[in-house]
Amino acid sequence: MLSTLSITNYALIDSLEVGFDKGFTVITGETGAGKSILLGGLSLVLGKRADLSSLRVKDEKCIIEASFKIANYGLQEFFEENDLDYDANTVIRREILPSGKSRAFINDTPVTLDVLSQLGENLIDIHSQHQTMQLTENDFQLKLVDALAGNQKRLAEYSSGLKTYRKAQKELNGLIEVQSTANKEHDYNTFLLTELENAPLKVGIVEELEEEYEQLNNVELIIEQLSKGDQLFNDEQMGVLPLVTEMRQSLAKLVNFGSNYKDLYQRVQSVLIELDDVNSELQRIHEGVEANPDALEAVSAKLQLLYNLLKKHNVSEVSELIVIKNELADKVFETAHLDEKIALKTRELQDMESVLEEQAVVLREKRKEVIPELKAKLEGDLAQLGMPSASFEIGLSPSDSFTATGMDELSFLFTANRGGSYGELKKVASGGELSRIMLVIKAILAKYEKLPTIMFDEIDTGVSGEISNRMADIMKDMSNDLQVFSITHLPQVASKGNHHFKVFKTEGAERTMTNMKKLNTEERVVELAHMLGGKDLSDSALAHARQLLN
């Protein structure tokens, strides 16, 4: 429910702040007084685009703020999805800067116009000639049928299933596309994988092979130097071991002459032990070294293979080749199992289709049940609005594809004249007829759905007398379930409002301003009398006005 509206520096409005209550609110005023300006300002706060022409004073910003009571609107999820602070008394603010830029806020959080517009659609339904054309759209007509059929929960379940189904369809198409590409690459990927699997891939392998290659490739030099080392260790006259052994024997004769001689002896003994160990290791290695052309060739081949693979895959480390091998293995595995995945996903889709078809059939049956009731109600209500011969032909036929509303095609045909040819609303109904049909439909919807605040902008244009009374009764009856506004030129409609606001102009010394005020009972009598008899107030006009209010 719209509870307050504040407008500053917009068009002919200098500063305006009004509060609204639930029920039926009427807004009147002479032609050109600024009722359209009020609607324009409200549209801006609901997300309509703006320009500098909106500014009354060009070097000051325009601010439009509206507060709504939304506790019963079920909008918590919308606020969560858009990361907004939810408040049962939500405030929307729109600012238009002198630079031409605009800003929008929901509960003081900056938002885009798209988010503002989405929220606005759930807060106020402004009925206009453009919005009346919505009546001619198939989805809107089907929404009316579903409201009477109580299909809201069924539609939500169907819509959720359809969303899952379309996601699965997209996944299946993706798998088929991947398969098409993968099949072309499968043989090459398999070849690359086999090549890598046959290579001795492990971290550090290149360094190991290079070391082994150097040893095998220089075996003669190694044998020669090991032999020389053996000779240096064991030569009887100049060998290291005989000389150190002799030194140890000499020092052994001095150990009893002091600790320093004993320490020296022990150190030489340790050196001799270490030298003896080195000599043993040298001899062991020497015995194991021999020329092996076959081994040299094998190591060289492995190294060359690794060098070629590193170059081929444009990497510098074997660890990177291992990563590539694993990735190729995954690709080859995925390709080999894509047929299985596609078959599984296809079966899933078929199961989903069966469920959706069952849900669509239930929706269709429920719709068929209420179509006679809807036809009778529409024709009966329109008869009271001066269209006694109005008649509808509403048909439902199954379609072959899933749509957002099921698997139905709705035929919603109309004629305003007895014996006339039926046709689509947009082709056979006049603007005045469409307005009355829309009013009747909104009244029906209000009984079955939680509608937002509705503002009718001169929906009563072109009617008078008893018909305008009936239109006012319909709007007043709607206001039992939701907040209803009507901008009207008809006193019969204005008199039925729970609350009455007047839009008027005042002429200042330098400029004209539009303002708005809530009328008390006596002010309403005067306003209605003006609407009935013009500027000159007569006793009969005042009496008629009082009669209308009573």
Side-chain angles (χ1 to χ4, degrees):
M1 184 188 91
L2 176 64
S3 54
T4 63
L5 176 65
S6 170
I7 302 176
T8 303
N9 193 37
Y10 174 73
L12 295 180
I13 297 175
D14 189 16
S15 178
L16 172 68
E17 185 169 353
V18 288
F20 301 107
D21 293 309
K22 62 183 180 180
F24 184 30
T25 298
V26 295
I27 300 173
T28 61
E30 295 180 4
T31 301
K35 297 186 293 297
S36 61
I37 295 174
L38 182 70
L39 273 182
L42 191 57
S43 297
L44 285 176
V45 86
L46 296 176
K48 180 183 175 183
R49 296 196 174 275
D51 55 48
L52 282 174
S53 62
S54 304
L55 302 181
R56 175 175 176 79
V57 179
K58 301 302 180 185
D59 58 353
E60 296 179 11
K61 69 179 177 180
C62 162
I63 302 175
I64 303 173
E65 189 171 282
S67 60
F68 296 85
K69 294 178 180 178
I70 64 170
N72 298 324
Y73 283 23
L75 292 172
Q76 289 89 338
E77 185 176 343
F78 174 87
F79 279 73
E80 289 175 9
E81 289 176 354
N82 291 281
D83 198 23
L84 297 169
D85 294 329
Y86 176 81
D87 194 322
N89 186 39
T90 283
V91 178
I92 299 176
R93 186 171 79 256
R94 185 83 181 275
E95 298 180 357
I96 303 163
L97 307 178
S99 64
K101 295 182 178 179
S102 74
R103 300 184 297 184
F105 302 86
I106 297 176
N107 292 332
D108 288 326
T109 299
V111 295
T112 63
L113 282 188
D114 183 54
V115 171
L116 186 64
S117 179
Q118 289 178 46
L119 178 60
E121 289 174 0
N122 291 284
L123 299 179
I124 295 187
D125 177 3
I126 298 179
H127 174 89
S128 62
Q129 187 64 35
H130 170 73
Q131 200 261 0
T132 298
M133 294 309 296
Q134 184 186 35
L135 176 60
T136 66
E137 297 171 1
N138 193 262
D139 285 349
F140 182 82
Q141 296 164 357
L142 204 52
K143 178 181 178 181
L144 174 63
V145 176
D146 283 327
L148 266 71
N151 272 340
Q152 289 86 344
K153 185 176 180 181
R154 299 183 191 94
L155 267 174
E157 292 173 352
Y158 168 85
S159 179
S160 176
L162 183 62
K163 184 178 179 181
T164 304
Y165 171 76
R166 286 178 173 164
K167 182 181 178 182
Q169 256 188 335
K170 188 175 181 180
E171 290 172 354
L172 175 60
N173 293 335
L175 286 172
I176 293 172
E177 185 177 344
V178 168
Q179 185 186 49
S180 175
T181 304
N183 284 340
K184 298 174 185 177
E185 300 176 351
H186 180 66
D187 291 342
Y188 182 59
N189 286 338
T190 302
F191 168 75
L192 292 177
L193 177 61
T194 302
E195 196 175 43
L196 289 171
E197 285 179 336
N198 291 335
L201 299 185
K202 69 174 184 178
V203 177
I205 185 64
V206 171
E207 292 77 9
E208 291 179 17
L209 289 172
E210 286 175 340
E211 182 180 305
E212 187 177 356
Y213 176 81
E214 288 300 319
Q215 291 178 8
L216 289 169
N217 194 44
N218 295 280
V219 66
E220 293 179 0
L221 176 63
I222 293 171
I223 291 173
E224 179 185 339
Q225 296 305 313
L226 288 174
S227 296
K228 185 178 180 180
D230 183 54
Q231 183 181 356
L232 290 171
F233 263 110
N234 298 295
D235 185 80
E236 292 182 3
Q237 294 183 356
M238 298 295 294
V240 175
L241 285 176
L243 290 173
V244 177
T245 299
E246 186 178 345
M247 182 185 295
R248 182 190 65 177
Q249 292 170 350
S250 297
L251 291 174
K253 299 173 181 179
L254 304 176
V255 294
N256 295 324
F257 297 137
S259 60
N260 53 336
Y261 298 111
K262 186 177 181 180
D263 290 343
L264 194 58
Y265 168 80
Q266 290 175 343
R267 289 174 66 187
V268 173
Q269 173 69 11
S270 296
V271 169
L272 184 59
I273 292 171
E274 179 65 20
L275 288 172
D276 190 56
D277 186 60
V278 171
N279 180 54
S280 298
E281 181 67 14
L282 188 148
Q283 289 178 347
R284 186 190 64 78
I285 293 174
H286 190 190
E287 290 170 0
V289 174
E290 60 180 355
N292 191 338
D294 293 338
L296 177 61
E297 185 178 350
V299 170
S300 178
K302 289 180 182 179
L303 270 175
Q304 193 58 50
L305 173 62
L306 291 172
Y307 291 152
N308 290 340
L309 288 173
L310 289 168
K311 183 178 180 181
K312 183 174 186 175
H313 293 280
N314 196 29
V315 294
S316 58
E317 300 290 340
V318 171
S319 59
E320 295 173 283
L321 286 178
I322 294 172
V323 171
I324 293 171
K325 184 187 77 170
N326 293 336
E327 291 174 350
L328 285 169
D330 290 342
K331 287 182 180 179
V332 170
F333 179 85
E334 287 293 327
T335 304
H337 291 77
L338 272 175
D339 285 340
E340 184 181 336
K341 280 189 172 183
I342 289 173
L344 179 62
K345 186 60 68 174
T346 301
R347 288 195 295 272
E348 285 181 13
L349 277 169
Q350 290 170 344
D351 291 342
M352 291 179 192
E353 285 176 1
S354 297
V355 173
L356 287 172
E357 287 171 358
E358 290 173 4
Q359 292 174 328
V361 168
V362 174
L363 286 170
R364 184 179 306 128
E365 294 304 317
K366 294 296 180 182
R367 289 163 178 167
K368 284 181 177 179
E369 289 176 10
V370 300
I371 283 177
E373 177 189 349
L374 174 61
K375 172 180 165 64
K377 188 161 186 59
L378 285 172
E379 292 172 353
D381 289 349
L382 287 174
Q384 297 183 54
L385 294 181
M387 298 173 65
S389 300
S391 177
F392 290 87
E393 275 192 357
I394 306 173
L396 204 64
S397 57
S399 66
D400 296 329
S401 58
F402 297 117
T403 69
T405 54
M407 299 182 70
D408 292 330
E409 292 180 358
L410 182 71
S411 171
F412 202 90
L413 304 180
F414 170 76
T415 180
N417 305 306
R418 189 181 304 276
S421 299
Y422 287 93
E424 295 179 14
L425 279 171
K426 60 184 175 184
K427 294 181 179 178
V428 300
S430 68
E433 289 167 344
L434 283 174
S435 291
R436 278 178 268 183
I437 294 171
M438 177 60 91
L439 177 61
V440 167
I441 285 178
K442 291 288 187 184
I444 294 173
L445 284 173
K447 298 294 183 183
Y448 295 93
E449 286 192 343
K450 185 62 181 178
L451 296 179
T453 292
I454 292 183
M455 183 169 287
F456 292 107
D457 182 14
E458 300 184 358
I459 195 171
D460 48 23
T461 298
V463 299
S464 58
E466 185 54 35
I467 296 175
S468 62
N469 263 322
R470 178 56 189 152
M471 293 183 81
D473 287 338
I474 290 175
M475 287 186 278
K476 190 172 181 65
D477 185 51
M478 288 173 67
S479 72
N480 293 326
D481 301 300
L482 69 153
Q483 187 185 35
V484 178
F485 288 85
S486 177
I487 297 174
T488 182
H489 286 293
L490 297 181
Q492 293 89 343
V493 175
S495 66
K496 297 289 178 71
N498 303 111
H499 320 285
H500 189 159
F501 287 84
K502 180 178 180 180
V503 178
F504 59 94
K505 282 183 180 178
T506 56
E507 302 286 342
E510 298 180 357
R511 57 187 180 182
T512 301
M513 292 181 290
T514 288
N515 217 318
M516 181 178 183
K517 67 172 292 188
K518 186 174 184 179
L519 304 181
N520 59 32
T521 302
E522 282 306 310
E523 289 170 332
R524 290 188 72 179
V525 170
V526 173
E527 174 68 5
L528 291 175
H530 279 308
M531 295 173 75
L532 287 164
K535 292 185 177 180
D536 297 326
L537 289 179
S538 64
D539 291 340
S540 61
L542 289 168
H544 190 182
R546 288 191 176 89
Q547 184 181 4
L548 283 175
L549 277 179
N550 293 329

